[in-house]
């Protein structure tokens, strides 16, 4: 079999550029192309899998067996993730926050990186602005969602320690320009810095200064897979020098944008942010949420709706209807034509409004806790 790389996936298959928002049509094909393992078999071995796991939204993994083993034997393990502080915190980001909190409750040590160096280089956002967004949008929402300061190392790339930067610098000789071109296509100094920094993010929790070698899981959207592949390859190459465990990763499907395609931070009508007002939620769902319903009431009653493409239904499935039976009932009623698009939209609007009213109160309280996370 020929080697498959980040950009050249052959006819009809997807390319992954971690700096562009992508839309995946065929996850199965993608898993095959990149050698991502299905999550199903490991799901059965978790005592309390997260809803996102049970629903198949977290669909794949690399090396998750190490994490299972650590959980089972009550050994140290960590969860590492990073955030690009470039805009509003929306429901797409919330899916990752839920996983962070899930692992924290399971006993993992959390490493949460503000990718300010990456955002500065790749998105050309001023440093001060990045810091403000990271705190007011990301951190405040994480806290309101349940993230605790204990066992959570929240850091800015630009502020990290000498051992972290020493590691990143030493990774320079462990890859080649050709390899980077192969994975990322066009390559630039800004990308090289961002990529090596992210490899350092993922590997540094295993340095002695951060508690030594241990299994580390990185939950990501599929767009980050190029970085995961490179990091795992580099971890192999340094194994004589650093006794790193190969980092593990899980992959979640991307929450669809309101209009059905991808979410884009430049288009506020493509997402719902966690600071949107109840009126905004209503307008966004009513006016913009892509419907899988029939073109007319008659048609809908006759043929039913398509829940696979219906954004309101997908928001219930991803987040807002945790009860499987209720979700199934809505699915059946909508697909049979018994439930109309307007009715489905009302359900989701009500659920989101209720959630956000509570959440926004929690956000106010969370602001007093921010300092507990900013120790470095
Ligand atoms: N590149 C990631 C993004 O675009 C952010 C990031 C930086 C990251 N370092 C990381 C993600 C380490 C996971 C692990 O969102």
């Amino acid at each position: 079999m020929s080697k498959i790389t980040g950009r050249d996936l052959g006819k009809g298959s997807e390319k992954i550029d971690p700096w562009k928002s992508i839309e995946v049509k065929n996850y199965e094909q993608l898993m095959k192309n990149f050698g991502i393992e299905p999550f199903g078999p490991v799901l059965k071995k978790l005592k309390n899998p997260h809803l996102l796991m049970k629903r198949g939204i977290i669909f794949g993994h690399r090396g998750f067996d190490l994490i299972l083993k650590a959980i089972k034997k009550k050994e140290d393990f960590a969860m590492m993730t990073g955030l690009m502080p470039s805009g509003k915190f929306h429901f797409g980001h919330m899916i990752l926050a839920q996983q962070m909190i899930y692992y924290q409750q399971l006993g993992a040590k959390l490493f949460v990186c503000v990718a300010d160096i990456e955002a500065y280089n790749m998105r050309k956002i001023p440093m001060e602005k990045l810091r403000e967004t990271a705190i007011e949008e990301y951190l405040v929402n994480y806290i309101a969602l349940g993230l605790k300061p204990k066992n959570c190392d929240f850091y800015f790339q630009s502020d990290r320690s000498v051992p972290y930067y020493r590691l990143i610098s030493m990774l320079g000789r462990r890859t080649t320009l050709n390899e980077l071109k192969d994975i990322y296509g066009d390559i630039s100094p800004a990308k090289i810095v961002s990529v090596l920094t992210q490899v350092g993010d993922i590997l540094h929790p295993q340095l002695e200064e951060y508690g030594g070698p241990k299994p580390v899981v990185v939950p990501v959207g599929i767009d980050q897979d190029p970085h995961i592949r490179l990091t795992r390859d580099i971890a192999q190459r340094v194994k004589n020098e650093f006794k790193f465990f190969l980092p593990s990763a899980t992959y979640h499907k991307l929450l669809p944008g309101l209009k059905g395609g991808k979410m884009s931070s430049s288009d506020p009508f493509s997402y719902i942010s966690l600071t949107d007002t109840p009126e905004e939620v209503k307008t966004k769902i009513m006016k913009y949420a892509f419907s899988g319903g029939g073109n007319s009431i008659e048609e809908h009653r006759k043929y039913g709706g398509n829940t696979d493409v219906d954004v309101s239904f997908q928001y219930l499935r991803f987040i807002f209807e945790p009860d499987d039976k209720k979700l199934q009932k809505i699915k059946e009623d909508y697909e049979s034509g018994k439930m109309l698009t307007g009715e489905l939209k009302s359900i989701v609007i009500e659920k989101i409004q209720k959630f956000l009213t509570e959440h926004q109160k929690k956000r106010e309280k969370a602001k007093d806790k921010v300092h507990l996370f900013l120790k470095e």
Side-chain angles (χ1 to χ4, degrees):
M1 205 178 86
S2 64
K3 192 166 172 262
I4 291 162
T5 65
R7 311 277 297 186
D8 174 22
L9 300 180
K11 264 198 212 119
S13 52
E14 284 112 327
K15 294 176 182 180
I16 301 181
D17 179 337
W19 295 285
K20 294 231 168 76
S21 55
I22 54 165
E23 201 186 339
V24 179
K25 298 249 159 60
N26 188 343
Y27 281 98
E28 235 101 283
Q29 188 61 44
L30 209 99
M31 285 170 73
K32 256 201 218 133
N33 289 348
F34 288 115
I36 295 172
E37 305 286 330
F39 200 77
V42 300
L43 171 74
K44 297 185 194 93
K45 300 184 184 151
L46 279 168
K47 242 197 223 137
N48 287 310
H50 194 276
L51 186 72
L52 293 166
M53 297 170 171
K54 287 191 281 191
R55 296 243 164 114
I57 293 161
I58 294 172
F59 65 92
H61 77 95
R62 292 185 195 273
F64 197 76
D65 317 66
L66 288 177
I67 304 300
L68 283 176
K69 203 168 140 212
I71 295 172
K72 199 167 162 207
K73 298 195 162 172
K74 299 202 181 339
E75 285 165 358
D76 257 14
F77 76 105
M79 188 238 52
M80 149 90 244
T81 186
L83 59 104
M84 185 85 113
S86 59
K88 286 264 167 201
F89 188 92
H90 55 56
F91 287 138
H93 303 118
M94 188 168 101
I95 285 174
L96 194 82
Q98 291 177 329
Q99 296 175 62
M100 291 160 58
I101 293 158
Y102 170 79
Y103 285 113
Q104 191 175 42
Q105 289 170 350
L106 264 181
K109 165 112 207 248
L110 262 51
F111 290 84
V112 184
C113 157
V114 177
D116 59 349
I117 294 288
E118 180 182 357
Y120 178 87
N121 276 306
M122 297 303 297
R123 306 270 187 245
K124 304 191 172 67
I125 305 170
M127 273 298 189
E128 312 78 65
K129 178 78 191 144
L130 289 168
R131 186 160 287 256
E132 185 188 308
T133 305
I135 294 173
E136 279 165 28
E137 287 295 327
Y138 287 79
L139 184 53
V140 170
N141 281 310
Y142 290 156
I143 301 171
L145 290 169
L147 189 71
K148 298 283 181 278
K150 189 167 173 252
N151 270 338
C152 180
D153 188 343
F154 183 88
Y155 71 93
F156 292 79
Q157 286 176 331
S158 63
D159 268 357
R160 203 50 161 171
S161 63
V162 169
Y164 166 84
Y165 274 102
R166 183 187 299 125
L167 174 66
I168 293 172
S169 314
M170 289 168 74
L171 298 175
R173 72 178 229 228
R174 305 296 181 169
T175 182
T176 63
L177 204 51
N178 277 339
E179 182 181 41
L180 296 181
K181 280 186 187 158
D182 218 25
I183 299 174
Y184 298 100
D186 289 341
I187 198 81
S188 64
K191 281 190 189 174
I192 295 179
V193 168
S194 306
V195 165
L196 290 181
T197 307
Q198 179 151 347
V199 176
D201 287 327
I202 299 174
L203 295 178
H204 87 286
Q206 301 196 57
L207 293 173
E208 290 306 328
E209 289 84 350
Y210 292 97
K214 58 182 149 301
V216 177
V217 60
V218 189
V220 291
I222 190 73
D223 57 307
Q224 296 294 301
D225 190 48
H227 301 313
I228 301 290
R229 273 180 277 137
L230 179 66
T231 307
R232 284 168 61 90
D233 285 346
I234 290 184
Q236 284 282 3
R237 292 171 199 157
V238 298
K239 71 167 184 272
N240 290 331
E241 206 165 337
F242 300 92
K243 302 288 169 220
F244 293 153
F245 284 79
L246 215 54
S248 315
T250 65
Y251 298 86
H252 57 257
K253 295 188 178 172
L254 303 172
L255 182 71
L258 279 182
K259 297 174 189 171
K262 44 198 184 188
M263 278 190 243
S264 148
S265 42
S266 58
D267 175 8
F269 295 107
S270 72
Y271 61 80
I272 294 175
S273 91
L274 275 74
T275 45
D276 278 354
T277 63
E279 297 73 50
E280 282 171 318
V281 170
K282 190 168 175 195
T283 320
K284 285 186 179 184
I285 298 282
M286 278 309 201
K287 260 187 136 155
Y288 296 97
F290 185 80
S291 162
N295 286 329
S296 63
I297 293 192
E298 293 72 44
E299 232 178 76
H300 186 84
R301 291 279 187 225
K302 202 162 162 196
Y303 304 110
N306 179 348
T307 50
D308 288 339
V309 298
D310 192 286
V311 169
S312 302
F313 182 81
Q314 289 303 321
Y315 277 49
L316 292 175
R317 182 170 87 93
F318 271 70
I319 308 172
F320 291 104
E321 185 45 85
D323 185 324
D324 287 335
K325 284 206 188 99
K326 287 189 188 157
L327 188 73
Q328 185 58 28
K329 174 96 173 71
I330 293 172
K331 184 174 154 74
E332 281 164 18
D333 287 354
Y334 195 61
E335 288 177 352
S336 72
K338 194 171 155 202
M339 179 184 281
L340 298 173
T341 296
E343 293 168 321
L344 176 61
K345 287 194 171 188
S346 304
I347 295 175
V348 79
I349 289 170
E350 196 179 314
K351 293 215 179 242
I352 295 179
Q353 285 176 336
K354 194 165 161 229
F355 169 80
L356 285 184
T357 309
E358 278 307 303
H359 180 75
Q360 288 165 9
K361 280 187 213 150
K362 291 183 191 156
R363 264 183 61 90
E364 287 314 307
K365 291 199 189 114
K367 290 179 182 164
D368 299 334
K369 299 208 183 104
V370 160
H371 70 280
L372 299 172
F373 291 81
L374 302 175
K375 277 170 290 195
E376 197 165 299

